[in-house]
Amino acid sequence: MSIRSRYPEQRIAPNLPQCGHRVDRREAMRIGGLSVLGSAWAGYGLGALGVGTLGLGDWFRLQRLQAAGLEQGEATSNRVATAKSCILIWLDGGPSHLETFDPKPLAPSEVRGPLETIATSIAGVRLGECLPNTARIIERIAIIRSMTSPLGEHNFGTHYMMTGYKPTPVLEYPTYGSVLAHFHPGTGVLPAHMSVPDFGVGGSRLSGNGFLPSAVAPFSVGGDPARSDFKVRDLDLYQGISLQRLDQRREFVSALDRFAPGASSADPSVDSDLERAFNLIASPTAKRAFDLSEESPALRQRYGSKTIGQSCLLARRLVEAGVPFVTVNNRGWDTHNDLVTRLKEGYTGAKIGVGLIPSLDMALATLIQDLQDRRMLDQTLVVVMGEFGRTPKLNTQGGRDHWPRVFSVLLAGGGVPGGQVIGSSDSVGESPHDRPVTPGDLAATIYALLGIDPQLELRTRDGRPVRLTSHESQAIREIVG
């Protein structure tokens, strides 16, 4: 029987109380007025109590259970970390390696495509024409040009790339962000695993935490940082609830806790979960992390006005505030048609390209430089990837289709030696020419850079041991030594 079938509540609503959990008046008081994990309580008959959202208290309760070892019993990693945090720029849909990090200027036109290439400071290494800013900082970047996978479907490819394991109906593996949050919950009140704008990757079927506790699932910001009215979903107080009233509820719940069975009269037994939830909503520091207006207009312009640019800026602010892992989810890369318009121009007749690749170029280059200027780059790993690449030949619609046999991944910061290209594809970008790298190898590399032993074992909920990476996975020696 599969883990998913044994725990159907994870698939249906991963943040709801487990089956058999009684929602009593005290639980209602615990969640009343707090709103961070989305509307989900209507099915529990709490409408009459005026409770419309699942509270932060429940989310922090899951975190506390995890920290206490009630759901996971394995030892934590003692590997020395090169990077303390990670920003994953996820190009959802499968970016074309032939128009970005592995162009083929000498190939036939049906392979080469309609876009030109540009030189970099590395002899013989060229990038797509829409990446001039990235080309200028290539000495800080490592490009893997020989990534290979057999999975050319969005959901399957995403699972493989984000976990290092091929998907199986028996088990959903945890993503990098959830594993890091499991071992390093963070130091502040912000969640340790966050996603901007959301975690709807690869068809939105991936939970993120897999078989790990729901506490390490990615927390989706829920809003577009590029919009003028951007705000974090449900971070504000519930309508009609003031901070003073919420504080009164908190004190009332603490009073109930002191009368709970087993409570010590000498111990006030303050509800730590509700306390942390209250602190997050009430914390000016937490709210400031999301306030992009604190950044200079010039810097915001350098990141670019598109969603990916402002999302990368927000990711930097979150990492700066102590969040260990942030996923920037950039959609639209499933370019089966109108390649030039979608990848370069952005809209028909554009005189200056504002499509997917120019927007990525501005965001990525500025993020790396911004981290460097703030002396954060050595401790922040930046990863750029999607679920697969695109076909070597253009199709009849002027686009490229799914192609997992060979594609590219970019890494920077976090101790990654820059100015190098690892592996290569053949002359038409169809297959690895040398040094093939699997998603499992990439997973072992990312974990090693983050100070987590790739050979560590986790435990599923039924006690099954599962290694962080498969036995055949090997960290990339050019990156980790």
Side-chain angles (χ1 to χ4, degrees):
M1 181 178 292
S2 72
I3 296 298
R4 288 311 231 181
S5 61
R6 293 189 62 183
Y7 296 92
E9 70 281 358
Q10 276 201 325
R11 176 174 53 83
I12 297 171
N15 295 312
L16 292 179
Q18 303 296 310
C19 295
H21 181 91
R22 183 172 63 90
V23 182
D24 53 19
R25 294 179 64 185
R26 177 181 177 278
E27 197 71 59
M29 290 300 299
R30 179 197 305 275
I31 64 174
L34 296 176
S35 53
V36 140
L37 294 182
S39 299
W41 284 94
Y44 279 79
L46 297 183
L49 295 175
V51 180
T53 56
L54 176 62
L56 277 171
D58 190 74
W59 186 69
F60 285 128
R61 176 174 61 84
L62 291 170
Q63 284 195 318
R64 179 163 52 85
L65 288 174
Q66 176 204 353
L70 299 181
E71 297 193 58
Q72 297 287 327
E74 71 284 346
T76 58
S77 173
N78 58 3
R79 187 184 182 98
V80 177
T82 303
K84 293 183 179 179
S85 56
C86 179
I87 296 174
L88 168 60
I89 302 176
W90 179 257
L91 308 181
D92 194 62
S96 171
H97 54 296
L98 294 158
E99 271 71 42
T100 54
F101 305 126
D102 191 15
K104 301 295 179 182
L106 302 181
S109 60
E110 67 270 19
V111 172
R112 184 174 67 247
L115 302 185
E116 301 296 329
T117 66
I118 54 175
T120 69
S121 59
I122 304 177
V125 175
R126 302 183 72 84
L127 299 180
E129 67 167 271
C130 297
L131 293 167
N133 296 299
T134 304
R136 283 193 284 269
I137 60 167
I138 198 168
E139 71 279 357
R140 299 175 188 167
I141 292 170
I143 300 174
I144 305 170
R145 283 183 168 174
S146 54
M147 288 297 308
T148 184
S149 162
L151 304 178
E153 191 274 336
H154 292 294
N155 291 287
F156 293 161
T158 297
H159 187 286
Y160 197 11
M161 287 299 293
M162 280 200 168
T163 69
Y165 274 100
K166 295 176 183 176
T168 166
V170 177
L171 193 67
E172 182 182 312
Y173 294 91
T175 58
Y176 306 130
S178 289
V179 171
L180 182 60
H182 177 71
F183 287 116
H184 304 290
T187 57
V189 297
L190 290 168
H193 182 194
M194 303 193 71
S195 185
V196 187
D198 56 46
F199 197 70
V201 297
S204 302
R205 297 181 186 175
L206 195 64
S207 70
N209 58 298
F211 60 76
L212 289 178
S214 298
V216 297
F219 176 88
S220 292
V221 169
D224 184 351
R227 291 177 58 94
S228 59
D229 59 350
F230 165 68
K231 67 176 182 177
V232 181
R233 182 197 66 193
D234 300 331
L235 186 60
D236 294 325
L237 290 166
Y238 191 69
Q239 186 176 2
I241 302 294
S242 66
L243 193 60
Q244 180 181 8
R245 186 177 174 188
L246 183 60
D247 192 24
Q248 291 172 348
R249 292 190 181 198
R250 179 183 59 153
E251 293 184 1
F252 180 65
V253 172
S254 298
L256 290 178
D257 282 341
R258 288 194 288 271
F259 289 99
S264 169
S265 58
D267 183 359
S269 297
V270 174
D271 189 316
S272 60
D273 307 321
L274 186 60
E275 189 77 15
R276 290 184 64 189
F278 176 85
N279 290 340
L280 178 56
I281 289 180
S283 170
T285 301
K287 291 191 175 184
R288 281 188 63 187
F290 298 102
D291 188 1
L292 295 182
S293 67
E294 291 192 350
E295 302 292 339
S296 70
L299 181 61
R300 295 193 67 174
Q301 186 175 7
R302 281 172 51 202
Y303 271 96
S305 60
K306 296 290 188 178
T307 299
I308 185 174
Q310 298 304 297
S311 294
C312 284
L313 175 56
L314 178 57
R316 189 225 79 205
R317 290 181 62 85
L318 292 173
V319 165
E320 202 169 21
V323 177
F325 199 100
V326 181
T327 299
V328 173
N329 183 19
N330 184 225
R331 293 190 176 95
W333 292 86
D334 195 18
T335 50
H336 291 278
N337 61 298
D338 300 328
L339 181 148
V340 174
T341 301
R342 298 176 65 183
L343 292 185
K344 179 182 178 180
E345 295 174 348
Y347 59 91
T348 302
K351 295 182 180 180
I352 298 177
V354 293
L356 289 166
I357 303 178
S359 299
L360 169 65
D361 181 53
M362 292 182 66
L364 174 62
T366 303
L367 174 63
I368 293 173
Q369 185 62 54
D370 196 10
L371 290 170
Q372 177 70 33
D373 293 343
R374 295 170 184 273
R375 299 183 178 179
M376 295 171 58
L377 185 60
D378 288 343
Q379 297 180 339
T380 306
L381 175 64
V382 178
V383 182
V384 183
M385 65 180 184
E387 55 264 51
F388 39 65
R390 312 302 292 190
T391 49
K393 291 185 179 181
L394 295 169
N395 61 29
T396 57
Q397 296 177 301
R400 300 183 190 269
D401 301 317
H402 301 181
W403 194 256
R405 190 182 301 172
V406 72
F407 54 105
S408 301
V409 167
L410 181 149
L411 298 95
V416 173
Q420 63 171 326
V421 174
I422 299 164
S424 64
S425 63
D426 59 25
S427 61
V428 294
E430 182 178 25
S431 302
H433 177 259
D434 59 20
R435 190 71 173 89
V437 177
T438 69
D441 299 333
L442 179 65
T445 304
I446 290 174
Y447 286 135
L449 290 170
L450 292 172
I452 301 174
D453 187 349
Q455 299 181 28
L456 278 178
E457 288 187 348
L458 299 174
R459 297 275 175 179
T460 63
R461 294 193 177 192
D462 60 354
R464 172 187 169 188
V466 179
R467 277 180 38 135
L468 280 182
T469 60
S470 60
H471 289 277
E472 64 271 17
S473 299
Q474 298 290 330
I476 302 169
R477 61 181 181 273
E478 294 92 335
I479 293 178
V480 300

